[in-house]
Amino acid sequence: MSIVLVTGGAGFIGSNFVRRVLEATDDSVLVLDKLTYAGNPASLTGLPDDRFEFVRGDICDRELVDRLVARADTVVHFAAESHNDNSLRDPEPFITTNLYGTFALLEAVRKHDKRFHHISTDEVYGDLELDDPERFRETTSYQPSSPYSASKAGSDHLVRAWVRSFGVRATISNCSNNYGPRQHIEKFIPRQITNIIDGVRPKLYGQGRNVRDWIHVDDHNSAVLRILEAGEIGQTYLIGADGEHDNKTVIELLLRLMGQPADAYDHVNDRPGHDLRYAIDATKLRTELGWVPTYSDFASGLAATIDWYRANEAWWRPHKSAVEAKYATQGQ
Ligand code: NAD
Ligand code: TDX
């Protein structure tokens, strides 16, 4: 049995990862999370006391990070400022947390010689044309567009530099857009689900031709566990499940699944610099590590996600009005 330190474990993907580790392994989990607006303690209820510990703190706090890393066998680093729209309003926390916070963790795993896995995003590669036959691969050059994706790109470069210069035992994964339970309602899919529950028309940025490559959060996390088991130190693995859909199609599908007319949505102001298309080629992960996703049907994954938001209104309701008030100031 070993101890896994999970940064950002009260966030969307991190909290689902914590649950998966506790269910699928004998390991203990130590979460370090600052509980920003995006962290929700309600995502970590009902976990076994003898194998789970929560520490509220900042990944930029080097003394705290050093102490927690010393206790762990493996560090899985999810903590980040994660929302593009927020990074356009106020980039500073993205620079602090995503860059300096990753640096603080790297220095600690270097000192204590701990295995490190860095969670990153496909957005570091910029965007693709709609008709481009190429998809992102591990060899695609970095071309981030937003302050968020630039800060994640920088954090990936830090990890590679610490591997090469200091022999840190790290791997990186860059995943496409996740959906599933416990995703903050500022994000596209849960924002629209909770709008429809509230009788509010969903909001589509611009014409909605932008394509995202959707993957269920459990498939992302099964890939991360596989990389921890069998990934090669120093390597990057792209995670994706061939789930490309444009935003208009996703809104129409959500409306249909929730019993509404497919055209009952509003076009709102587009995101400045809005990336057109992301698409992942996960051949390396599939062939070298034998990973396969389990959610092959997007509509049924979405239906289960809708059920989760319907059944867990107490989880999201306290945040809804503040999220919508923020979007309203931007005509979104
Ligand atoms: P999230 O915003 O839901 O959660 C982030 C968590 O990190 C929150 O619990 C927050 O409190 C915590 N946090 C933020 N700043 C912190 C700090 N300074 N110290 C400690 N904790 C801090 O994000 P998410 O969607 O779960 O994303 C998790 C990771 O996965 C991020 O690194 C993100 O870049 C990456 N990622 C996300 C997606 C996606 O579709 N959501 C896709 C690919 C990669
Ligand atoms: O109300 C909305 N209407 C809309 O049309 C919102 C909130 C979004 N959108 C569009 C913008 C994007 O094209 O939907 C798409 C998805 O938007 P987000 O959920 O904000 O995700 P995205 O910007 O694609 O980034 C996500 O995937 C990659 C995560 O938030 C990142 O953390 C991850 O790195």
Side-chain angles (χ1 to χ4, degrees):
M1 191 185 92
S2 59
I3 299 178
V4 186
L5 173 61
V6 180
T7 72
F12 164 44
I13 308 173
S15 62
N16 283 290
F17 181 77
V18 167
R19 288 175 185 281
R20 192 175 186 97
V21 170
L22 291 171
E23 276 160 24
T25 75
D26 294 333
D27 293 344
S28 292
V29 173
L30 175 57
V31 165
L32 171 60
D33 197 296
K34 187 178 175 181
L35 296 181
T36 67
Y37 80 96
N40 193 338
S43 297
L44 293 171
T45 50
L47 301 177
D49 278 349
D50 55 337
R51 290 172 58 213
F52 171 71
E53 183 181 339
F54 180 82
V55 175
R56 183 173 191 177
D58 193 328
I59 57 166
C60 299
D61 178 344
R62 291 198 53 192
E63 193 268 327
L64 174 64
V65 164
D66 185 82
R67 216 163 359 103
L68 297 180
V69 167
R71 287 176 53 197
D73 299 288
T74 303
V75 180
V76 185
H77 176 33
F78 290 92
E81 287 291 337
S82 69
H83 193 39
N84 275 298
D85 291 324
N86 292 343
S87 83
L88 298 166
R89 275 190 290 259
D90 178 15
E92 189 165 355
F94 290 75
I95 304 305
T96 312
T97 288
N98 300 358
L99 288 168
Y100 188 84
T102 302
F103 158 75
L105 284 155
L106 285 167
E107 282 295 82
V109 294
R110 172 188 174 197
K111 177 175 161 193
H112 297 288
D113 187 24
K114 298 297 164 76
R115 172 82 170 86
F116 185 72
H117 182 71
H118 180 60
I119 303 291
S120 193
T121 169
D122 59 358
E123 298 192 19
V124 300
Y125 300 113
D127 59 355
L128 298 162
E129 292 301 325
L130 294 178
D131 60 357
D132 192 333
E134 285 296 309
R135 297 184 291 168
F136 299 140
R137 282 180 282 175
E138 286 78 4
T139 49
T140 304
S141 60
Y142 275 42
Q143 209 168 358
S145 314
S146 73
Y148 163 68
S149 50
S151 68
K152 292 296 291 188
S155 69
D156 293 5
H157 291 318
L158 292 177
V159 177
R160 289 202 187 91
W162 261 244
V163 170
R164 177 153 173 174
S165 304
F166 306 123
V168 161
R169 293 181 291 127
T171 40
I172 299 174
S173 54
N174 298 77
C175 188
S176 61
N177 283 60
N178 287 217
Y179 73 97
R182 303 181 190 84
Q183 183 167 32
H184 196 280
I185 55 166
E186 69 188 352
K187 303 296 197 306
F188 178 55
I189 286 176
R191 182 183 183 206
Q192 314 314 334
I193 293 173
T194 53
N195 275 347
I196 298 168
I197 290 173
D198 278 355
V200 172
R201 288 162 69 93
K203 310 292 180 208
L204 186 63
Y205 291 177
Q207 291 310 305
R209 291 170 67 241
N210 309 67
V211 171
R212 296 294 180 264
D213 191 351
W214 293 100
I215 183 173
H216 193 278
V217 64
D218 289 343
D219 281 334
H220 181 179
N221 284 331
S222 74
V224 172
L225 281 177
R226 186 71 197 130
I227 294 166
L228 286 171
E229 278 165 10
E232 193 183 321
I233 298 302
Q235 291 294 306
T236 290
Y237 298 89
L238 262 56
I239 305 174
D242 303 327
E244 283 187 68
H245 301 279
D246 69 33
N247 296 338
K248 180 171 176 293
T249 306
V250 175
I251 281 206
E252 290 168 353
L253 181 55
L254 287 171
L255 282 161
R256 271 204 305 276
L257 289 168
M258 296 180 75
Q260 300 295 316
D263 61 353
Y265 62 87
D266 292 331
H267 293 276
V268 295
N269 288 342
D270 207 349
R271 173 183 286 171
H274 197 172
D275 278 341
L276 185 55
R277 172 174 166 240
Y278 307 136
I280 291 267
D281 178 347
T283 302
K284 178 176 172 180
L285 180 67
R286 285 174 181 264
T287 56
E288 291 185 14
L289 303 189
W291 172 81
V292 277
T294 57
Y295 287 78
S296 50
D297 181 32
F298 185 52
S300 55
L302 276 187
T305 304
I306 293 166
D307 289 345
W308 190 88
Y309 282 91
R310 280 190 170 132
N312 292 278
E313 190 165 332
W315 183 91
W316 56 267
R317 173 63 65 198
H319 311 285
K320 185 66 180 167
S321 57
V323 167
E324 292 306 319
K326 198 148 78 169
Y327 278 124
T329 62
Q330 309 170 159
Q332 291 180 323

